[in-house]
Amino acid sequence: METHFRTCNLCEAMCGLKITYANNEIIKIEGDQEDAFSRGHICPKANGLKDIYLDPDRLKFPIKKTENGWERISWEAAYEMVVSKTKEIQEKYGRDAVGIYQGNPTIHNLGTTMFAPDFFKLIKTHNMFTATSTDQLPHHFASWLMYGHPMLLPVPDIDHTDYMLIIGGNPLASNGSMMSVPDVAKRLEAIKSKSGKYVVIDPRKTETAKQASEHLFIKPNSDAYFLLAFLKCILENNPSKTFPEYIEKIEELKNSVLNFNLEEIEDLTGISMEKIQILAKEFSDAPSAVCYGRVGVSTQAFGGICLWLINVINIVSGNLDKKGGAMFTLPAIDFVGPAKPKDRFARWKSRVSGYPEFLGELPVAALAEEMLTEGQGQIKMMFTNCGNPVLSTSNGIQLDKAFESLEFMVSFDIYLNETTRHADLILPPATGLENPHYDLTFHNLAVRNTSKYSPPLFEKTEGAKYDWEIFQDLRNVFIGENQSVIPPEFKLDLGLKYGPYKLSMEKLKENPHGIDLGDLKPLLPERLKQKINLCPELLADDLKRLEESKTEMLNSSQNTFWMIGRRHLRDNNSWMHNSAKLMKGKNRCTLLINPDDANRLAIPENALVTVKSRVGEVQLPVEISEDIMSGVVSIPHGYGHNRKGTKMSIAEKYPGVSLNDLSDEKVIDKLTGNSAFSALRVSVSI
Ligand SMILES: Nc1nc2c(c(=O)[nH]1)N[C@H]1C(S)=C(S)[C@@H](COP(=O)(O)OP(=O)(O)OC[C@H]3O[C@@H](n4cnc5c(=O)[nH]c(N)nc54)[C@H](O)[C@@H]3O)O[C@H]1N2
Ligand SMILES: Nc1nc2c(c(=O)[nH]1)N[C@H]1C(S)=C(S)[C@@H](COP(=O)(O)OP(=O)(O)OC[C@H]3O[C@@H](n4cnc5c(=O)[nH]c(N)nc54)[C@H](O)[C@@H]3O)O[C@H]1N2
Ligand code: SF4
Ligand SMILES: [Mo]
């Protein structure tokens, strides 16, 4: 028997795994107690790596759609077809006629993160979309405006904080996000046991909320009002606080925030001003404190404002760049580096709705209409890479139609699923245990500075290709050259050697449990790209829209509900439902509803109900629970495996329904373009 150490790349927590195996067979996957970062923690999904490796449904060679079904073709023929179709369509209709969508595992796969951009940038399209605009785009937006770089994202110093306010995140199910933190339950518990406190603000009493010192229900989509009120209290608690010279625009901030009328705060949010004052006092008085917001606050109609205010709260309470507060990382391979602040917003707009570009991409809410609306610049061909937008982005049914209308579609994916079934060609890379790994992205967002390289455990199947080979091969075919293909380790070594700790591949290979680079340390002002702007105009101007939306928030119809999502520890967005181990247990795809609402509508437990929105309807069983706020219902996203023509034999046995057949592509944060899933209104009937 042999032992292999690696980092799990399935979510952001970067857990160290200890895999015991003999020949090609995995005997055990457990937490690596000696891992420099994760201290032995793992979650049930780690075992899913074995299922993915062995999954007979997983694709290993290129397949092409023909009249007689899918047929295997050679890599060379696949490359030739990709390149000739791209060129043909761009020559005929212009370069924007080819669109690209990249999903979440793009950044969890080293080879794709490193080499996919080299190919995609040759396509020179303005129609670039990613899962970022269903997720964390407002985080980057606020950081870009306030600190001068979209990747300067402060992380909670969870291991040293005395007070943590969690708003719109459920790390006990998600294992943390924009905060890589294995073992989060123990770390949160440790805050309480040193007489600190952690408070959760969420429309659902989540797994995290149940362990918290305190949980408060909040009406979905109202967090911007709550955060404004909270910030007002913090400013009033410390009226004459002074700030270092690298922090600017405090007076402008005070003018904007203190003049915002919050008389109706309790009706707007469900939380009283008195309660907010108490929380803000605790936060101000704590030796160290941090406010952390995640998907629940970034995917709403004022996601941009929410993320701005969260940063401001940490700054004006004196907790930015402070032990136990919100701190910047210094990763061994530094994304931020010497880059200068630059224009990254609204350099072009989407053709149909005029949504602004940010960081080189357009809001994915515009994807379907860009395919379906005729005219110059219409998308006629799509690439999807590591993404399942049919289940993961708003109005999946419209997206099904849009993909079907294309002249050609290519997917880089390991499954024939709800999205890739529309492709003409699927190119599957080796994945998981077959790949080397280094977390280029999540070391930037980790609660501790560490560095670790994982070699591949198993050989890829004979004739299969790595993602880094596929993208470099395609680049060569596209430009008609024959440059030799380099492995990711080569670039990694350079990145490490030029990085702040002067590491190398050699050093990482000598340390299979990773290298500990220490606690997060104060890095300001050197790490900043500009003086901290407490009151960026784009965000302050958006307060007018927030003011105007009060009427709608206060007058929403009694007959409709707010719809929110939820995550379960054993799910991973839409794509790990083909693991038998992870699908065991009771049906997770249910509609959560409060007992008062269920009684009012005479809905009994387990009843099949119909949920409708402007764009669609679904039917699913009900789960009645005090854990969900009255007036709010919840469905987990990532289900809906009942579409025809997929090849995911286990997922198909647990189809559920897709939350995103209800999500409305018109419901977005109008400032940043991010999808506003939590601003969705639905009706429920039996
Ligand atoms: N209503 C609602 N919708 C949401 C969310 C929500 O909270 N509510 N959350 C949003 C968020 S945060 C995100 S990040 C998005 C995710 O959106 P997506 O990234 O589009 O969706 P995933 O389900 O993660 O799909 C991942 C795809 O990558 C493929 N894949 C897995 N591993 C590999 C690999 O190694 N190589 C390749 N080439 N492909 C691979 C899978 O087969 C799958 O097709 O969903 C969003 N959608
Ligand atoms: N097990 C598992 N882990 C995952 C994933 C997964 O699908 N499954 N996905 C991964 C991905 S891609 C991401 S981005 C992260 C996300 O990580 P998290 O953000 O921690 O994930 P969620 O569980 O969606 O937490 C969002 C919380 O916001 C709440 N919420 C919804 N609407 C509102 C609102 O209007 N206001 C407030 N205050 N709260 C609201 C929800 O009830 C929920 O508890 O998780 C990652 N990890
Ligand atoms: S918490 Fe995330 S990184 Fe850790 S084992 Fe689970 S899926 Fe893997
Ligand atoms: Mo995400």
Side-chain angles (χ1 to χ4, degrees):
M1 276 199 304
E2 288 181 85
T3 313
H4 166 83
F5 298 101
R6 71 184 293 108
T7 296
C8 174
N9 68 331
L10 293 171
C11 86
E12 302 179 30
M14 298 195 289
C15 295
L17 308 181
K18 178 181 175 190
I19 304 182
T20 313
Y21 67 103
N23 303 319
N24 246 9
E25 202 185 322
I26 296 172
I27 295 161
K28 199 156 55 168
I29 300 185
E30 56 195 324
D32 174 9
Q33 300 295 338
E34 292 168 76
D35 187 86
F37 186 49
S38 64
R39 317 185 299 198
H41 176 76
I42 54 166
C43 86
K45 284 192 295 297
N47 266 290
L49 281 170
K50 177 177 177 183
D51 285 1
I52 297 166
Y53 174 63
L54 296 173
D55 191 345
D57 287 337
R58 179 161 66 89
L59 306 173
K60 302 192 178 79
F61 311 105
I63 51 172
K64 180 178 120 178
K65 195 182 269 161
T66 71
E67 281 175 3
N68 306 319
W70 290 96
E71 277 175 15
R72 180 174 168 181
I73 60 168
S74 71
W75 287 101
E76 289 66 30
Y79 295 155
E80 202 45 56
M81 193 181 285
V82 171
V83 170
S84 62
K85 277 287 175 189
T86 308
K87 291 188 172 170
E88 180 192 313
I89 285 176
Q90 288 194 314
E91 268 158 34
K92 198 159 154 200
Y93 303 109
R95 61 182 208 197
D96 293 337
V98 177
I100 300 165
Y101 171 85
Q102 303 203 72
N104 170 275
T106 312
I107 46 164
H108 289 276
N109 279 287
L110 173 66
T112 303
T113 314
M114 258 186 191
F115 294 101
D118 289 355
F119 171 62
F120 286 133
K121 77 176 174 227
L122 297 172
I123 294 172
K124 295 197 173 102
T125 176
H126 289 111
N127 281 317
M128 169 66 91
F129 304 85
T130 80
T132 295
S133 57
T134 67
D135 183 351
Q136 84 285 5
L137 193 150
H139 291 247
H140 299 301
F141 194 79
S143 285
W144 166 63
L145 288 171
M146 297 179 72
Y147 310 119
H149 197 288
M151 283 304 288
L152 276 176
L153 299 152
V155 177
D157 186 15
I158 193 170
D159 289 338
H160 303 107
T161 197
D162 298 284
Y163 196 98
M164 188 160 171
L165 182 69
I166 301 180
I167 178 158
N170 183 14
L172 257 59
S174 69
N175 285 302
S177 182
M178 309 296 277
M179 166 176 76
S180 285
V181 55
D183 205 2
V184 68
K186 276 203 201 127
R187 295 180 203 239
L188 286 171
E189 212 46 51
I191 302 178
K192 290 199 289 182
S193 53
K194 63 178 185 202
S195 350
K197 194 167 170 181
Y198 89 88
V199 177
V200 173
I201 315 277
D202 199 299
R204 181 165 78 90
K205 186 158 193 174
T206 60
E207 295 76 358
T208 311
K210 284 181 183 166
Q211 305 294 322
S213 322
E214 194 174 345
H215 163 245
L216 296 172
F217 280 133
I218 187 167
K219 288 190 192 167
N221 205 40
S222 73
D223 300 72
Y225 303 106
F226 169 85
L227 290 163
L228 268 176
F230 191 87
L231 174 59
K232 239 183 187 180
C233 299
I234 301 238
L235 288 170
E236 282 162 2
N237 289 346
N238 307 287
S240 51
K241 190 172 169 66
T242 54
F243 295 96
E245 63 76 37
Y246 61 79
I247 299 183
E248 294 190 321
K249 304 234 167 122
I250 182 75
E251 286 315 315
E252 289 85 340
L253 174 81
K254 283 182 178 165
N255 279 338
S256 300
V257 171
L258 299 176
N259 290 329
F260 197 96
N261 181 347
L262 288 165
E263 268 166 39
E264 293 148 317
I265 190 76
E266 189 162 359
D267 291 335
L268 286 165
T269 63
I271 306 176
S272 70
M273 198 62 195
E274 293 70 44
K275 185 69 216 178
I276 298 175
Q277 273 160 350
I278 294 169
L279 287 179
K281 177 95 176 62
E282 289 176 357
F283 194 93
S284 302
D285 290 350
S288 66
V290 61
C291 177
Y292 163 73
R294 232 353 239 127
V295 158
V297 286
S298 90
T299 57
Q300 53 174 279
F302 296 93
I305 291 188
C306 285
L307 268 300
W308 166 45
L309 296 176
I310 287 171
N311 277 286
V312 171
I313 287 166
N314 288 327
I315 299 167
V316 301
S317 63
N319 284 296
L320 182 74
D321 199 40
K322 173 176 139 182
K323 191 168 176 177
M327 303 192 77
F328 293 104
T329 57
L330 188 61
I333 297 181
D334 191 7
F335 265 29
V336 178
K340 294 248 175 339
K342 62 176 185 193
D343 212 7
R344 296 175 189 266
F345 181 58
R347 289 165 296 181
W348 63 89
K349 298 215 162 138
S350 71
R351 180 179 61 103
V352 180
S353 287
Y355 296 150
E357 157 274 351
F358 181 54
L359 305 180
E361 57 183 79
L362 290 167
V364 73
L367 177 57
E369 66 184 22
E370 290 298 330
M371 291 185 254
L372 292 168
T373 314
E374 284 178 18
Q376 182 62 34
Q378 181 182 7
I379 298 177
K380 299 281 191 178
M381 169 175 173
M382 274 299 298
F383 284 96
T384 68
N385 181 23
C386 300
N388 192 4
V390 166
L391 295 193
S392 295
T393 72
S394 302
N395 201 346
I397 291 175
Q398 178 178 248
L399 211 50
D400 267 329
K401 287 193 198 115
F403 284 137
E404 227 17 66
S405 74
L406 292 171
E407 288 190 17
F408 202 72
M409 174 163 163
V410 180
S411 292
F412 301 98
D413 208 286
I414 56 173
Y415 285 110
L416 179 50
N417 64 17
E418 297 76 13
T419 295
T420 62
R421 72 197 171 115
H422 295 295
D424 297 284
L425 199 54
I426 307 180
L427 284 77
T431 191
L433 301 175
E434 302 163 333
N435 280 350
H437 188 60
Y438 184 93
D439 238 303
L440 280 177
T441 308
F442 297 106
H443 284 302
N444 282 270
L445 300 169
V447 299
R448 197 174 173 82
N449 291 313
T450 61
S451 182
K452 182 172 152 186
Y453 167 76
S454 312
L457 168 56
F458 297 128
E459 293 270 311
K460 61 182 165 53
T461 309
E462 204 185 325
K465 293 233 184 221
Y466 298 111
D467 45 4
W468 47 273
E469 291 178 302
I470 298 171
F471 288 112
Q472 292 180 79
D473 286 348
L474 273 171
R475 183 180 155 280
N476 275 341
V477 176
F478 198 96
I479 59 176
E481 281 185 15
N482 203 5
Q483 293 176 22
S484 54
V485 168
I486 50 167
E489 285 84 349
F490 178 80
K491 270 197 179 179
L492 268 183
D493 194 47
L494 286 178
L496 290 163
K497 283 182 175 146
Y498 284 105
Y501 308 93
K502 312 277 174 256
L503 294 175
S504 63
M505 277 304 298
E506 201 184 333
K507 283 202 193 111
L508 290 191
K509 282 184 178 165
E510 285 164 8
N511 291 277
H513 308 286
I515 297 178
D516 185 21
L517 302 168
D519 287 338
L520 302 183
K521 291 181 189 69
L523 295 172
L524 297 196
E526 290 73 20
R527 190 101 175 116
L528 297 171
K529 296 292 162 195
Q530 63 182 40
K531 288 192 175 179
I532 296 178
N533 183 351
L534 284 178
C535 194
E537 260 173 56
L538 280 172
L539 291 160
D541 287 351
D542 206 29
L543 290 174
K544 283 191 219 95
R545 188 172 62 97
L546 186 67
E547 175 67 48
E548 285 157 15
S549 92
K550 275 183 183 168
T551 326
E552 202 187 324
M553 286 295 292
L554 293 170
N555 298 327
S556 39
S557 152
Q558 288 294 310
N559 298 325
T560 57
F561 290 85
W562 293 104
M563 169 63 79
I564 62 166
R566 65 181 190 270
R567 284 178 160 78
H568 189 281
L569 190 58
R570 300 164 83 90
D571 294 326
N572 196 10
N573 296 325
S574 75
W575 72 276
M576 287 187 67
H577 293 151
N578 219 40
S579 156
K581 270 190 229 92
L582 294 176
M583 295 316 288
K584 278 196 293 214
K586 68 174 195 168
N587 176 18
R588 309 200 274 262
C589 191
T590 57
L591 182 87
L592 275 191
I593 189 167
N594 181 278
D596 292 345
D597 296 325
N599 282 341
R600 186 165 49 85
L601 298 176
I603 298 174
E605 179 75 347
N606 295 325
L608 203 61
V609 290
T610 302
V611 187
K612 281 191 194 161
S613 72
R614 181 188 74 88
V615 305
E617 66 176 74
V618 298
Q619 283 197 316
L620 77 170
V622 148
E623 204 178 324
I624 300 173
S625 167
E626 297 272 0
D627 291 342
I628 188 103
M629 189 178 185
S630 174
V632 183
V633 288
S634 163
I635 301 180
H637 78 285
Y639 283 87
H641 306 297
N642 46 3
R643 284 153 150 96
K644 299 244 167 353
T646 61
K647 186 167 176 281
M648 298 191 71
S649 44
I650 295 171
E652 285 158 22
K653 289 192 199 136
Y654 305 87
V657 296
S658 176
L659 169 58
N660 289 321
D661 287 346
L662 296 171
S663 325
D664 188 334
E665 82 284 5
K666 303 273 183 225
V667 179
I668 62 167
D669 174 3
K670 295 219 166 56
L671 174 63
T672 65
N674 206 64
S675 298
F677 296 122
S678 294
L680 181 69
R681 305 284 302 179
V682 297
S683 66
V684 178
S685 58
I686 184 153

